[in-house]
């Protein structure tokens, strides 16, 4: 198999070996990839399965015949998962990277622009009243 799909294939195999379908229910990895059991796989394994299928399909896609199949490294997936950034399993840049911000629930709410403008207006009025008293 060409090198563009090797790492994602190895990652899928490792994910399947660690899944409940293989470890607990004692099914083979090939059985776990088929229809009734495929839905019971963890989300990560389902994503890897889809990514591997798209990678294999990309090897024979005539639109990619000049540039070739863009390889995806599993190491990049692991670092993206650990850092919390979004990732895309198959080629290209992630559509969701950096879109979600981590919060702890203690962030102050952003003030409405109308409140800010009202405070400025009140401060100006107060300053005018102070000048009139003098």
């Amino acid at each position: 198999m060409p090198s563009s799909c090797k790492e994602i294939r190895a990652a899928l195999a490792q994910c399947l070996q660690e899944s409940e379908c293989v470890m607990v229910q004692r099914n083979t990895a090939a059985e776990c990839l088929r229809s009734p059991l495929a839905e019971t796989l963890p989300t990560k394994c389902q994503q890897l399965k889809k990514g591997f299928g798209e990678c294999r399909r990309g090897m024979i896609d005539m639109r990619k015949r000049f540039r070739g199949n863009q390889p995806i490294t599993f190491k990049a997936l692991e670092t993206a998962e650990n850092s919390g950034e979004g990732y895309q399993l198959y080629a290209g840049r992630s559509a969701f990277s950096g879109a979600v911000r981590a919060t702890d629930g203690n962030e102050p709410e952003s003030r409405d622009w109308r409140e800010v403008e009202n405070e400025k207006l009140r401060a100006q009025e107060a300053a005018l009243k102070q000048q009139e008293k003098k």
Side-chain angles (χ1 to χ4, degrees), residues 62-80:
M62 293 304 285
R63 292 173 290 183
K64 297 179 183 178
R65 66 184 178 269
F66 292 118
R67 287 183 288 156
N69 212 9
Q70 294 187 4
I72 180 80
T73 59
F74 186 66
K75 294 174 188 109
L77 291 176
E78 285 182 331
T79 56

Side-chain angles (χ1 to χ4, degrees), residues 89-131:
L89 281 176
Y90 179 69
R93 196 171 141 244
S94 175
F96 304 108
S97 64
V100 178
R101 194 173 49 143
T103 63
D104 63 354
N106 296 325
E107 290 80 22
E109 283 188 37
S110 60
R111 297 179 59 201
D112 188 30
W113 65 273
R114 290 168 274 200
E115 293 175 12
V116 174
E117 291 296 320
N118 285 336
E119 284 183 12
K120 287 180 185 176
L121 182 64
R122 288 184 190 121
Q124 288 175 353
E125 289 175 353
L128 285 173
K129 286 183 182 178
Q130 289 292 333
Q131 287 178 356

Side-chain angles (χ1 to χ4, degrees), residues 19-22 25 27 31-43 45-46:
S19 71
E20 188 175 303
C21 182
V22 172
Q25 298 170 1
N27 295 311
E31 291 171 348
C32 291
L33 288 173
R34 292 199 182 91
S35 182
L37 297 174
E39 288 79 29
T40 63
L41 289 174
T43 307
C45 292
Q46 290 178 2

Side-chain angles (χ1 to χ4, degrees), residues 50-64:
K50 183 176 182 189
F52 181 62
E54 289 177 2
C55 184
R56 293 280 305 264
R57 205 169 300 119
M59 289 193 302
I60 58 171
D61 190 357
M62 293 304 285
R63 292 173 290 183
K64 297 179 183 178

